[in-house]
């Protein structure tokens, strides 16, 4: 994930503040030229939430949130 974040120009944790996990995922897919596993969104949700003041949580605790959000679209 650290390499993926660097591909997106993120080298410091504070750069995640205010970022959208879904936008990060879309940018990663576009940058690499292939669709990544949707669980990457869960990881992005966990790290952006934490950097925006949320409590630390495991990435898999965000799976239901991702599924709900993507199903609503």
């Amino acid at each position: 994930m650290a390499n993926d974040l660097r591909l997106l120009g993120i080298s410091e944790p504070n750069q995640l503040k205010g970022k959208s996990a879904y936008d990060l995922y879309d940018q990663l897919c576009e940058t690499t030229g292939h669709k990544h596993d949707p669980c990457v969104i869960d990881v992005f949700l966990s790290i952006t939430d934490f950097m925006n003041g949320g409590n630390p949580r495991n990435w898999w605790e965000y799976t239901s949130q991702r599924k709900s959000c993507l199903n609503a679209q």
Side-chain angles (χ1 to χ4, degrees):
M1 289 307 307
N3 288 334
D4 290 340
L5 290 168
R6 281 190 284 275
L7 281 174
L8 299 175
I10 297 175
S11 58
E12 298 291 326
N14 284 336
Q15 292 175 293
L16 291 165
K17 289 182 179 177
K19 298 283 187 188
S20 161
Y22 301 97
D23 289 345
L24 290 170
Y25 176 79
D26 289 342
Q27 291 170 4
L28 180 63
C29 293
E30 184 176 319
T31 299
T32 61
H34 71 273
K35 188 170 180 137
H36 292 261
D37 189 290
C39 291
V40 171
I41 299 170
D42 304 349
V43 175
F44 286 161
L45 284 167
S46 72
I47 61 177
T48 55
D49 183 44
F50 178 72
M51 290 311 300
N52 286 310
N55 291 325
R57 294 171 46 199
N58 295 312
W59 66 264
W60 55 85
E61 295 178 48
Y62 290 85
T63 302
S64 61
Q65 178 182 337
R66 174 202 15 112
K67 288 181 177 181
S68 293
C69 182
L70 294 179
N71 287 335
Q73 293 179 352

